[in-house]
Short mmCIF file of all heavy atoms in Angstrom, two decimals:
data_model
loop_
_atom_site.label_atom_id
_atom_site.label_comp_id
_atom_site.label_asym_id
_atom_site.label_seq_id
_atom_site.Cartn_x
_atom_site.Cartn_y
_atom_site.Cartn_z
N HIS A 94 67.48 23.61 -193.32
CA HIS A 94 66.19 24.21 -192.81
C HIS A 94 65.84 25.35 -193.77
O HIS A 94 66.64 26.30 -193.95
CB HIS A 94 66.30 24.67 -191.41
CG HIS A 94 65.05 25.38 -190.95
ND1 HIS A 94 63.90 24.71 -190.69
CD2 HIS A 94 64.76 26.69 -190.74
CE1 HIS A 94 62.95 25.53 -190.31
NE2 HIS A 94 63.45 26.75 -190.33
N PHE A 95 64.65 25.31 -194.34
CA PHE A 95 64.18 26.34 -195.21
C PHE A 95 62.92 26.97 -194.78
O PHE A 95 62.01 26.25 -194.31
CB PHE A 95 63.97 25.78 -196.62
CG PHE A 95 65.15 25.26 -197.37
CD1 PHE A 95 65.45 23.92 -197.47
CD2 PHE A 95 66.05 26.15 -197.97
CE1 PHE A 95 66.54 23.45 -198.10
CE2 PHE A 95 67.18 25.71 -198.57
CZ PHE A 95 67.44 24.37 -198.71
N THR A 96 62.78 28.32 -194.83
CA THR A 96 61.58 28.97 -194.83
C THR A 96 61.07 29.06 -196.29
O THR A 96 61.83 28.73 -197.19
CB THR A 96 61.69 30.42 -194.25
OG1 THR A 96 62.54 31.20 -195.13
CG2 THR A 96 62.25 30.43 -192.91
N LEU A 97 59.89 29.44 -196.55
CA LEU A 97 59.38 29.55 -197.91
C LEU A 97 60.25 30.56 -198.65
O LEU A 97 60.69 30.31 -199.79
CB LEU A 97 57.88 29.98 -197.93
CG LEU A 97 57.31 30.15 -199.36
CD1 LEU A 97 57.43 28.87 -200.13
CD2 LEU A 97 55.84 30.61 -199.34
N TYR A 98 60.63 31.66 -198.04
CA TYR A 98 61.39 32.68 -198.71
C TYR A 98 62.78 32.20 -199.05
O TYR A 98 63.25 32.30 -200.17
CB TYR A 98 61.55 33.91 -197.74
CG TYR A 98 62.48 34.96 -198.34
CD1 TYR A 98 62.17 35.74 -199.41
CD2 TYR A 98 63.79 35.13 -197.78
CE1 TYR A 98 63.03 36.73 -199.91
CE2 TYR A 98 64.69 36.01 -198.27
CZ TYR A 98 64.31 36.81 -199.37
OH TYR A 98 65.21 37.74 -199.86
N SER A 99 63.45 31.46 -198.11
CA SER A 99 64.80 31.02 -198.37
C SER A 99 64.82 29.89 -199.41
O SER A 99 65.74 29.77 -200.16
CB SER A 99 65.50 30.53 -197.05
OG SER A 99 64.83 29.39 -196.50
N TYR A 100 63.76 29.10 -199.42
CA TYR A 100 63.62 28.04 -200.41
C TYR A 100 63.48 28.65 -201.84
O TYR A 100 64.20 28.22 -202.70
CB TYR A 100 62.40 27.17 -200.13
CG TYR A 100 62.37 25.91 -201.05
CD1 TYR A 100 63.12 24.85 -200.80
CD2 TYR A 100 61.54 26.00 -202.16
CE1 TYR A 100 63.00 23.72 -201.61
CE2 TYR A 100 61.44 24.96 -203.05
CZ TYR A 100 62.22 23.77 -202.76
OH TYR A 100 62.19 22.74 -203.64
N ILE A 101 62.61 29.64 -201.93
CA ILE A 101 62.40 30.31 -203.20
C ILE A 101 63.68 30.93 -203.74
O ILE A 101 64.14 30.74 -204.86
CB ILE A 101 61.26 31.40 -203.17
CG1 ILE A 101 59.93 30.67 -202.95
CG2 ILE A 101 61.26 32.24 -204.40
CD1 ILE A 101 58.83 31.65 -202.67
N LYS A 102 64.37 31.61 -202.82
CA LYS A 102 65.62 32.28 -203.14
C LYS A 102 66.69 31.25 -203.62
O LYS A 102 67.39 31.52 -204.62
CB LYS A 102 66.15 33.05 -201.89
CG LYS A 102 67.39 33.89 -202.15
CD LYS A 102 67.72 34.67 -200.87
CE LYS A 102 68.97 35.49 -201.07
NZ LYS A 102 69.38 36.23 -199.83
N LYS A 103 66.79 30.15 -202.90
CA LYS A 103 67.80 29.13 -203.26
C LYS A 103 67.50 28.54 -204.66
O LYS A 103 68.39 28.39 -205.53
CB LYS A 103 67.79 28.05 -202.20
CG LYS A 103 68.73 26.93 -202.53
CD LYS A 103 68.14 25.57 -202.14
CE LYS A 103 68.98 24.42 -202.64
NZ LYS A 103 68.27 23.13 -202.66
N GLN A 104 66.26 28.24 -204.90
CA GLN A 104 65.83 27.62 -206.19
C GLN A 104 66.09 28.48 -207.39
O GLN A 104 66.59 28.07 -208.45
CB GLN A 104 64.40 27.16 -206.16
CG GLN A 104 64.10 26.01 -205.19
CD GLN A 104 64.85 24.72 -205.50
OE1 GLN A 104 66.05 24.66 -205.30
NE2 GLN A 104 64.09 23.76 -206.03
N ILE A 105 65.74 29.76 -207.20
CA ILE A 105 65.93 30.75 -208.31
C ILE A 105 67.45 30.93 -208.52
O ILE A 105 67.86 30.95 -209.72
CB ILE A 105 65.22 32.07 -207.94
CG1 ILE A 105 63.70 31.86 -207.96
CG2 ILE A 105 65.64 33.15 -208.92
CD1 ILE A 105 62.99 33.12 -207.57
N LYS A 106 68.28 31.05 -207.50
CA LYS A 106 69.70 31.30 -207.64
C LYS A 106 70.41 30.11 -208.30
O LYS A 106 71.21 30.22 -209.18
CB LYS A 106 70.34 31.60 -206.33
CG LYS A 106 70.12 33.06 -205.83
CD LYS A 106 70.90 33.37 -204.64
CE LYS A 106 70.91 34.81 -204.31
NZ LYS A 106 71.80 35.17 -203.21
N LYS A 107 69.95 28.85 -207.82
CA LYS A 107 70.61 27.67 -208.31
C LYS A 107 70.19 27.46 -209.83
O LYS A 107 71.10 27.14 -210.67
CB LYS A 107 70.09 26.41 -207.57
CG LYS A 107 70.67 25.12 -208.02
CD LYS A 107 70.24 24.02 -207.14
CE LYS A 107 68.82 23.61 -207.52
NZ LYS A 107 68.37 22.34 -206.88
N THR A 108 69.00 27.64 -210.19
CA THR A 108 68.56 27.48 -211.58
C THR A 108 69.21 28.50 -212.46
O THR A 108 69.60 28.25 -213.57
CB THR A 108 67.06 27.49 -211.71
OG1 THR A 108 66.43 26.63 -210.72
CG2 THR A 108 66.51 27.11 -213.12
N SER A 109 69.21 29.77 -211.94
CA SER A 109 69.86 30.83 -212.67
C SER A 109 71.30 30.52 -212.91
O SER A 109 71.84 30.76 -214.03
CB SER A 109 69.71 32.11 -211.90
OG SER A 109 70.49 33.16 -212.54
N GLY A 110 71.98 30.05 -211.91
CA GLY A 110 73.45 29.71 -212.03
C GLY A 110 73.75 28.60 -213.05
O GLY A 110 74.68 28.64 -213.75
N ILE A 111 72.88 27.53 -213.00
CA ILE A 111 73.03 26.43 -214.00
C ILE A 111 72.84 26.95 -215.39
O ILE A 111 73.67 26.63 -216.29
CB ILE A 111 71.97 25.33 -213.69
CG1 ILE A 111 72.38 24.65 -212.30
CG2 ILE A 111 71.96 24.31 -214.83
CD1 ILE A 111 71.28 23.64 -211.87
N LEU A 112 71.89 27.83 -215.53
CA LEU A 112 71.69 28.31 -217.00
C LEU A 112 72.90 29.20 -217.35
O LEU A 112 73.33 29.04 -218.54
CB LEU A 112 70.40 29.22 -217.01
CG LEU A 112 70.09 29.80 -218.37
CD1 LEU A 112 69.87 28.77 -219.47
CD2 LEU A 112 68.92 30.73 -218.31
N LYS A 113 73.41 29.99 -216.49
CA LYS A 113 74.55 30.80 -216.87
C LYS A 113 75.80 29.94 -217.19
O LYS A 113 76.62 30.33 -218.05
CB LYS A 113 74.84 31.77 -215.68
CG LYS A 113 73.86 32.95 -215.61
CD LYS A 113 74.21 34.01 -214.56
CE LYS A 113 73.17 35.11 -214.58
NZ LYS A 113 73.59 36.08 -213.59
N ILE A 114 75.91 28.84 -216.46
CA ILE A 114 77.07 27.97 -216.88
C ILE A 114 76.84 27.50 -218.35
O ILE A 114 77.80 27.51 -219.10
CB ILE A 114 77.05 26.67 -215.97
CG1 ILE A 114 77.50 27.07 -214.49
CG2 ILE A 114 78.01 25.61 -216.47
CD1 ILE A 114 77.30 25.99 -213.51
N LYS A 115 75.67 27.11 -218.68
CA LYS A 115 75.37 26.63 -220.06
C LYS A 115 75.61 27.74 -221.04
O LYS A 115 76.26 27.54 -222.05
CB LYS A 115 73.92 26.17 -220.24
CG LYS A 115 73.56 24.96 -219.29
CD LYS A 115 74.21 23.75 -219.90
CE LYS A 115 73.73 22.52 -219.19
NZ LYS A 115 74.42 21.33 -219.71
N LEU A 116 75.17 28.97 -220.76
CA LEU A 116 75.32 30.13 -221.67
C LEU A 116 76.72 30.51 -221.84
O LEU A 116 77.21 30.82 -222.96
CB LEU A 116 74.42 31.26 -221.18
CG LEU A 116 72.95 31.04 -221.22
CD1 LEU A 116 72.21 32.24 -220.61
CD2 LEU A 116 72.42 30.82 -222.62
N ARG A 117 77.50 30.48 -220.72
CA ARG A 117 78.95 30.81 -220.87
C ARG A 117 79.69 29.79 -221.70
O ARG A 117 80.57 30.16 -222.56
CB ARG A 117 79.61 30.89 -219.46
CG ARG A 117 79.20 32.11 -218.66
CD ARG A 117 80.14 32.25 -217.51
NE ARG A 117 80.23 31.20 -216.57
CZ ARG A 117 79.39 30.92 -215.51
NH1 ARG A 117 78.43 31.86 -215.25
NH2 ARG A 117 79.52 29.93 -214.80
N ASN A 118 79.34 28.55 -221.54
CA ASN A 118 79.97 27.46 -222.36
C ASN A 118 79.62 27.63 -223.83
O ASN A 118 80.50 27.42 -224.70
CB ASN A 118 79.58 26.09 -221.82
CG ASN A 118 80.27 25.76 -220.51
OD1 ASN A 118 81.25 26.43 -220.06
ND2 ASN A 118 79.75 24.74 -219.85
N ILE A 119 78.35 27.92 -224.10
CA ILE A 119 77.92 28.09 -225.55
C ILE A 119 78.69 29.28 -226.09
O ILE A 119 79.18 29.23 -227.23
CB ILE A 119 76.39 28.31 -225.53
CG1 ILE A 119 75.73 27.02 -225.19
CG2 ILE A 119 76.00 28.68 -226.98
CD1 ILE A 119 74.21 27.14 -225.03
N LYS A 120 78.80 30.38 -225.38
CA LYS A 120 79.46 31.56 -225.91
C LYS A 120 80.90 31.38 -226.12
O LYS A 120 81.49 31.86 -227.09
CB LYS A 120 79.22 32.76 -224.92
CG LYS A 120 79.73 34.07 -225.48
CD LYS A 120 79.41 35.16 -224.51
CE LYS A 120 79.85 36.52 -225.14
NZ LYS A 120 79.55 37.76 -224.25
#
């Protein structure tokens, strides 16, 4: 169950986390 706020928060955190995985691996 998502409110608009919780949905935005989840999407930003998930996408940010995926990018950081990539950046850590590259580094």
Side-chain angles (χ1 to χ4, degrees):
H94 177 71
F95 294 104
T96 62
L97 179 58
Y98 173 75
S99 65
Y100 184 84
I101 291 172
K102 186 177 178 181
K103 177 219 172 196
Q104 294 297 74
I105 291 175
K106 282 190 172 183
K107 182 179 76 174
T108 309
S109 170
I111 291 173
L112 178 62
K113 285 183 177 181
I114 291 172
K115 295 288 186 184
L116 294 175
R117 287 195 302 271
N118 286 345
I119 292 171
K120 187 175 180 180

